[in-house]
Amino acid sequence: MHWIQVGDYDEMSELAASIFEQQLLRKPDSTLGLATGGSPQGFYVSLVKRYINGGFSFKKVNTFNLDEYIGLGPDDETSYHHYMKRSFFDFVDIPVSQQHLPNGLADDLLLECQLYEQAIEESGWIDLQLLGIGVNGHIGFNEPGTAFQSKTQVIDLTEETRNKNSKYFSSEAEVPAQAITMGLRTIMKAKQIILLAFGEEKAGAIARLQAGTVTEDFPASILHHHPNVKVLYGK
Ligand code: PGA
C-alpha cells in the first residue's frame, strides 16, 4: 500500500484527477470504477476541468459505480445515479450506454446483482477504481462483517451509515435501509485502486487501516492484500 499524505482537500482531488487523466492517456478504453459521496466531489470538478482543457476523451471508457440505494432511481435527487449525472456524466463525453450503476429499482434484485457483476467481468474487470472509506471501514457499501469473497450484492445499511448519510435526505427515516454494492472480491479485482480520505472524521479509520490488521470486521483492511493501492489522506 502506498500512503500519500496531502496538505488539503484540493490537493487530494487534483492528485486523484491527475492519476485518472494519466490512465486515460495511457489506455483510452479503460474501465473506470467510480464512487459517490463527499470525498470525490472535488475530484469530479478537477477531472471535468481537465477534460474541458482538452487532451483526452472518455468516448471509449466504461464506468461502473460502486453502489446505489435500493428504491431510488436516476430522477431521484438523492440517488447516486443523480449525483453522477450532475457531478460528472452531464459534462463529459461518455456514451450513456457505457455508464453503469446498479439499478436500485430492479424488480429482481438478485438478478440485477448477478448481471452487474457479469458486466464488470465482461469489461475485463476495472482498470482504475476510486474509493472512499466509511468511518466504520466500509468500502462501497460493504459494511463490517461482509465476506472478503463477496460479489455484487444487496446489503443492509448499518444505523451508523444511515445516520451519516442522512445529511443528504430530509430525515434519517428517508435514507433507504438497503443498497446494492459491488462486493469486496469485485473491488479487489481492480488493477489499481485510489482511496480518498480527508478530514478529522476519517482519521480514526485511516489510523486503523494503517495499523494493518486484516479482518472482515474492518472491510477496507482487505486492501492490504492488493498489489496496487494508493491512499490519499490528510486532515
Ligand atoms: P464520504 O463517504 O465520501 O461521503 O465521506 C465515504 C464512504 O462512506 O464510503
Side-chain angles (χ1 to χ4, degrees), residues 35-41 66-67 80 83 131-141 161 164-165 167-168 196-198 201-202:
T36 52
S39 305
Q41 264 163 358
L66 283 166
D67 43 22
Y80 286 156
Y83 172 109
L131 293 179
I133 183 171
V135 292
N136 64 3
H138 72 206
I139 49 175
F141 267 139
T161 295
K164 289 257 168 295
N165 289 1
K167 59 178 181 252
Y168 300 113
L196 305 180
F198 192 83
E201 196 193 20
K202 297 293 165 72

Side-chain angles (χ1 to χ4, degrees), residues 117 137-139 142-153 155 182-189 208-209 212-226:
E117 184 79 15
H138 72 206
I139 49 175
N142 294 289
E143 300 281 36
T146 303
F148 280 166
Q149 279 307 314
S150 54
K151 299 182 181 181
T152 301
Q153 60 178 334
I155 199 111
M182 272 188 210
L184 293 171
R185 177 182 183 273
T186 327
I187 292 169
M188 287 293 283
K189 291 277 187 185
R208 188 164 174 192
L209 186 58
T213 305
V214 177
T215 164
E216 287 180 351
D217 291 338
F218 191 70
S221 65
I222 194 177
L223 298 174
H224 284 289
H225 290 162
H226 191 283

